[in-house]
Amino acid sequence: MFISFEGTEGVGKTTLIRTLYEYFQQQGKDVILTREPGGTPLAEQIRGLLLSVNHDEQMSSDTELLLMYAARAQHLEQVILPALAQGKIVLCDRFTDSSFAYQCAGRGLSREKLALLNENFVVKMPDVTFWLDAPIETGMSRARERGALDRFEQEKVSFFEKVRSGFVEIQQRESQRMKRLDATQAPEKVFADALTYLK
Ligand code: Z5A
């Protein structure tokens, strides 16, 4: 089973994934935990480029999109597909829905560009996607407590509102695959809701 986790920043994806990972391990399941952008040494280097604020020039939205998919191609081939072929549960922090929400809804890139990349480079979609939804300010204040902000975290509330509207749209379109979780609840309750759904 391939499960992805989506949402705007600081909504608790990483927290939920870690708890589910431990739960599956305790159940004796073969499970891996991975993330995007990243998940392989090369893809993690691309992540570094994407999140860095130390560029002398502004990264174009097209470059951002293509780097996301360069990292994704590597991640799919090296990690996700082999793990699924071995019957493992794959827990992935963000996947293609983030590209729709951030690069299309957020940055304003065309859906055609994204569709082209998905059709050609994404051979496997998640079986289940958990969308952790909380007001933008809630997630931002949680994330900001950590300190230094990356290139995405420096964006304004208005950008994240557009990103959130992207997730709303996907959930309406693909309600079978994408399950909304109320991320304003305590972490234990978010975990319990996810588990109930999976069971
Ligand atoms: N990106 C993109 O643009 N296009 C793409 O295709 C992909 C990604 C794949 C990096 O992602 C950036 O890449 C991302 C979008 C872009 N940028 N943004 N924004 P990331 O996933 O690494 O970055 P992130 O979304 O900023 O992750 P995050 O800040 O680590 O958030 P999180 O994983 O959702 O939250 P968390 O670390 O689990 O929790 C944050 C804090 O809140 C932490 O102190 C927790 O203890 C606390 N927390 C967690 N859950 C709760 C609850 N339920 N209540 C109270 N407090 C909580």
Side-chain angles (χ1 to χ4, degrees):
M1 188 177 251
F2 179 18
I3 310 172
S4 64
F5 299 80
E6 298 283 1
T8 44
E9 66 158 337
V11 284
K13 299 179 306 305
T14 312
T15 306
L16 174 61
I17 293 176
R18 289 205 183 119
T19 320
L20 274 172
Y21 178 73
E22 282 165 21
Y23 169 81
F24 282 128
Q25 279 196 320
Q26 282 161 10
Q27 298 286 310
K29 307 277 187 211
D30 219 349
V31 56
I32 67 158
L33 190 165
T34 189
R35 69 172 180 183
E36 290 212 347
T40 84
L42 188 54
E44 287 289 330
Q45 285 190 44
I46 300 174
R47 179 187 177 91
L49 280 175
L50 279 160
L51 299 194
S52 173
V53 288
N54 300 320
H55 301 301
D56 292 335
E57 62 197 276
Q58 194 179 354
M59 186 181 291
S60 87
S61 298
D62 281 341
T63 302
E64 187 177 278
L65 177 72
L66 291 169
L67 285 175
M68 290 293 175
Y69 274 80
R72 181 161 298 137
Q74 190 70 13
H75 188 214
L76 265 169
E77 191 178 301
Q78 297 292 317
V79 176
I80 297 177
L81 295 178
L84 291 174
Q86 290 162 17
K88 295 181 182 172
I89 298 172
V90 175
L91 305 179
C92 189
D93 196 338
R94 298 192 181 279
F95 197 60
T96 50
D97 298 319
S98 279
S99 303
F100 179 80
Y102 282 79
Q103 279 67 55
C104 291
R107 302 280 193 225
L109 291 184
S110 77
R111 287 144 197 256
E112 287 73 24
K113 280 182 182 170
L114 192 82
L116 192 78
L117 291 165
N118 283 335
E119 278 160 23
N120 286 281
F121 300 107
V122 180
V123 293
K124 176 76 186 137
M125 281 296 284
D127 300 297
V128 178
T129 298
F130 287 114
W131 165 39
L132 284 80
D133 187 28
I136 300 304
E137 276 84 0
T138 307
M140 270 181 139
S141 65
R142 283 183 196 165
R144 256 129 241 241
E145 279 168 23
R146 280 186 309 221
L149 303 179
D150 67 36
R151 203 171 56 82
F152 287 95
E153 289 167 347
Q154 291 189 351
E155 291 290 341
K156 298 193 184 85
V157 174
S158 57
F159 172 77
F160 289 110
E161 292 289 3
K162 285 191 257 178
V163 171
R164 183 179 174 276
S165 74
F167 287 123
V168 171
E169 188 183 325
I170 302 169
Q171 208 273 329
Q172 285 167 352
R173 204 172 51 215
E174 294 186 60
S175 55
Q176 287 283 8
R177 172 175 67 85
M178 184 181 265
K179 166 81 180 154
R180 178 185 176 275
L181 296 175
D182 178 357
T184 62
Q185 307 176 104
E188 303 75 36
K189 184 71 176 62
V190 179
F191 169 67
D193 285 357
L195 204 56
T196 304
Y197 185 74
L198 285 176
K199 279 179 175 166

